[in-house]
Amino acid sequence: MAPATPLGERCIENWARALHSEGSGRMMPVSPETKMEIPVTEANMPRKTLITLLLLAIGVRILWALLFHPVIEEEGVYYAHMAENLVRGKLFFSFADQPLFTMLIAGLHYFGLNAEIAGRCISIGFGAVLLLPMTLIALRLYGREVAYIVAGLSAFHPFLIGISTCVLSEATFVFFLMLGIYFVLSSLAQAGRYRLALSGFLFGLAYLTRVEGIIFPFLSALFLYFIGIWPKRELLRKTLTMIAAFLLLVIPYVVFLSYHTGHFSIEGKSDKNYAIQRNLAQGIPVEESLFKISDSLEDQSIQAALKSGNIKISLRDKISFALRSGKNSIRELMIRLMTSAYLGEPLLLLYVIVGLFRSAWSRERLLQEGFLLLGVGMLIVAYGGSGSFFRIRHLVCYLAISLLWAGKGVNELFVWAKDSFQPKSARVIGLRIMAYVTMLGTLFVVSLFGTLRIQSYDVTGNLVDKEIGISIDRKSTR
């Protein structure tokens, strides 16, 4: 009997087989009623390249965490604290945050790992393996050459590296989201319903990590309807399979959340955001809303008031708040998307525009690109509705999808340069290397300086504050 393959190697081999099948040159089975064919790209990705990129992605994230991120973030403290409470048997949740990231931290903490380190390990792990679904999507939509570029962008983009060293849920969320999108796209070329069921399950995991994940199963159902490759009865069965897998995962949490909030709810953050915004209009600062205590040390924060039922907020109030804040917030968000150096702007926007519009769109490409564009648009609207509580890290989903188009744009610019200069065949490889190194290197440098600027702080002072906090916590638990 052959020796057992380690679990990590088996996982990588499975991904490599998936990458191989993506580029095997197959066409999807076409029934008599099928309206169009969705081609699968022609070339595969070498397994050694994939493994090397993955190991480098993990290594550079660990190095970044050691050099630039020695202190846990403020929100990361809440995740770590909730995870510690879960391990101690205190079923405490902040209803303003989805539970999955906290539960993952608690799982590692239960086996003896420090909660902060556990959170960083989870973010680093999911941040590194993000290159796998990104590569799969690029391979399906654009071919092997673009897939190489997208894999490199996913592994080494400084903003993605920075986010995936934080004790925050974004790296975990974007992995589940992009993997779910991949299975939706790959279902177009595969018989059966298991891929759509998998996508529904992954969108459920994304929702349990961040509430924005609830957008994508329904957006995917709309996409499958418009792409029109299956008879109506088969389309209904496949769509219901995806939605059912999603609901099976999320309904227990929705029931739990609705019970504790006293009304039907799919998330708990909008109540808190509305209450803080109302206090701001009355001149009460955010810090007082979040941390106010009485002279007798009684908790008088908004979170305590919501939990006790002293504050009642209707759905109408929340919709009114989203509409009032959304118009200005979306405009400011769009400006930030086009000007933020930490994303790589304005170079990223240039590559995205070239990737989207230099080559002609077929009907199938129109629908596939439309699916991604609509997803980005829905995320922008969702974040815009959060008003002044939008955070830079929320741009990670926009960045992940944009890198698919940017990879296509870099390749299109190389093709343009090759067609323009018409080098001899012996010099094409040199031109390719020079073009890719120049374009990607410039993007990385712009993003690196922008990312370091937004992550800069007094490391020494914060380390002292951290040690003081740990000391107080140890004394209070004796």
Side-chain angles (χ1 to χ4, degrees):
M1 178 180 292
T5 306
L7 178 60
E9 293 183 14
R10 290 205 306 272
C11 292
I12 293 175
E13 287 174 2
N14 290 338
W15 279 104
R17 281 196 292 271
L19 287 164
H20 182 84
S21 68
E22 284 301 317
S24 59
R26 292 175 289 107
M27 297 288 289
M28 67 166 289
V30 183
S31 69
E33 299 177 76
T34 298
K35 297 180 182 178
M36 69 179 181
E37 295 179 342
I38 304 296
V40 180
T41 52
E42 74 287 352
N44 59 19
M45 289 280 288
R47 185 181 304 176
K48 289 183 179 179
T49 303
L50 183 67
I51 295 173
T52 301
L53 280 173
L54 185 57
L55 293 176
L56 287 173
I58 295 172
V60 75
R61 281 158 173 77
I62 293 173
L63 184 63
W64 185 288
L66 294 174
L67 293 178
F68 304 118
H69 239 142
V71 181
I72 191 171
E73 306 74 24
E74 181 179 330
E75 190 169 335
V77 173
Y78 288 101
Y79 285 121
H81 183 54
M82 287 189 290
E84 290 172 345
N85 281 337
L86 282 176
V87 172
R88 293 169 186 159
K90 301 176 182 179
L91 297 179
F92 166 74
F93 281 99
S94 168
F95 298 129
D97 296 293
Q98 304 298 91
L100 182 58
F101 186 63
T102 298
M103 295 172 72
L104 291 173
I105 296 174
L108 292 183
H109 183 54
Y110 178 79
F111 291 103
L113 201 60
N114 173 276
E116 178 186 347
I117 295 175
R120 291 196 192 281
C121 288
I122 291 165
S123 290
I124 287 172
F126 280 110
V129 297
L130 173 64
L131 73 89
L132 299 174
M134 293 283 288
T135 304
L136 286 165
I137 295 171
L139 193 61
R140 169 163 294 278
L141 294 181
Y142 307 124
R144 183 175 71 170
E145 195 161 333
V146 176
Y148 274 120
I149 300 170
V150 171
L153 286 168
S154 306
F156 304 119
H157 192 286
F159 186 69
L160 289 181
I161 294 172
I163 285 293
S164 58
T165 60
C166 301
V167 187
L168 298 171
S169 61
E170 276 71 21
T172 306
F173 169 67
V174 75
F175 170 78
F176 289 135
L177 180 64
M178 298 307 293
L179 190 55
I181 289 174
Y182 161 69
F183 278 114
V184 170
L185 294 173
S186 68
S187 70
L188 304 177
Q190 302 290 336
R193 287 173 277 176
Y194 85 94
R195 286 181 178 247
L196 284 175
L198 256 178
S199 69
F201 183 79
L202 287 162
F203 289 144
L205 292 176
Y207 160 76
L208 292 175
T209 309
R210 291 194 61 85
V211 70
E212 305 90 87
I214 201 171
I215 296 170
F216 282 85
F218 304 101
L219 182 62
S220 300
L222 189 66
F223 163 69
L224 295 173
Y225 172 77
F226 279 109
I227 205 164
I229 62 172
W230 297 306
K232 289 185 178 179
R233 184 172 296 179
E234 184 179 357
L235 171 65
L236 181 62
R237 287 199 301 268
K238 288 176 178 287
T239 303
L240 288 178
T241 299
M242 178 179 62
I243 300 296
F246 172 77
L247 293 177
L248 186 66
L249 196 62
V250 307
I251 281 177
Y253 176 67
V254 172
V255 171
F256 167 83
L257 186 62
S258 300
Y259 172 78
H260 283 277
T261 57
H263 57 84
F264 175 76
S265 182
I266 59 171
E267 51 80 38
K269 186 165 283 189
S270 59
D271 288 354
K272 182 180 177 181
N273 287 351
Y274 174 81
I276 293 173
Q277 193 75 14
R278 186 173 61 184
N279 284 358
L280 280 172
Q282 298 171 359
I284 302 173
V286 174
E287 290 77 10
E288 183 176 340
S289 297
L290 291 174
F291 306 114
K292 183 179 180 181
I293 58 174
S294 66
D295 293 336
S296 59
L297 300 183
E298 181 184 355
D299 187 356
Q300 294 184 339
S301 66
I302 280 178
Q303 189 69 36
L306 288 170
K307 191 179 295 186
S308 64
N310 292 333
I311 295 180
K312 296 290 186 181
I313 300 172
S314 67
L315 179 61
R316 181 179 178 181
D317 292 332
K318 290 188 283 188
I319 293 174
S320 176
F321 162 70
L323 292 175
R324 285 198 312 272
S325 63
K327 185 177 179 180
N328 291 332
S329 298
I330 290 174
R331 182 170 60 249
E332 292 173 6
L333 177 55
M334 292 301 296
I335 293 173
R336 185 176 294 186
L337 290 177
M338 294 185 287
T339 60
S340 297
Y342 48 83
L343 297 179
E345 303 294 3
L347 282 175
L348 178 66
L349 182 61
L350 170 65
Y351 297 159
V352 166
I353 292 172
V354 173
L356 282 173
F357 301 116
R358 184 177 182 268
S359 56
W361 287 19
S362 62
R363 179 175 182 268
E364 49 266 35
R365 187 183 173 197
L366 171 66
L367 291 167
Q368 291 173 346
E369 300 288 15
F371 173 50
L372 297 177
L373 283 166
L374 189 57
V376 169
M378 295 292 287
L379 287 171
I380 290 174
V381 170
Y383 289 132
S386 67
S388 60
F389 301 101
F390 174 79
R391 297 291 182 266
I392 288 172
R393 64 179 183 270
H394 296 160
L395 296 175
V396 67
C397 292
Y398 161 81
L399 177 61
I401 296 176
S402 295
L403 290 182
L404 296 170
W405 298 323
K408 172 69 170 169
V410 168
N411 180 250
E412 291 282 4
L413 287 171
F414 161 71
V415 173
W416 169 81
K418 185 180 70 172
D419 294 342
S420 298
F421 296 106
Q422 297 183 349
K424 295 180 181 179
S425 57
R427 297 182 178 178
V428 171
I429 295 177
L431 178 63
R432 185 191 306 274
I433 293 173
M434 183 177 69
Y436 287 170
V437 168
T438 301
M439 288 186 282
L440 296 178
T442 307
L443 178 68
F444 286 155
V445 168
V446 172
S447 176
L448 176 62
F449 282 103
T451 303
L452 290 176
R453 192 178 302 120
I454 63 174
Q455 289 195 345
S456 62
Y457 49 80
D458 180 9
V459 174
T460 303
N462 282 340
L463 283 171
V464 172
D465 292 343
K466 178 179 177 180
E467 292 301 321
I468 292 172
I470 292 173
S471 176
I472 293 173
D473 181 64
R474 286 172 178 166
K475 291 178 180 179
S476 65
T477 54
R478 285 178 181 173

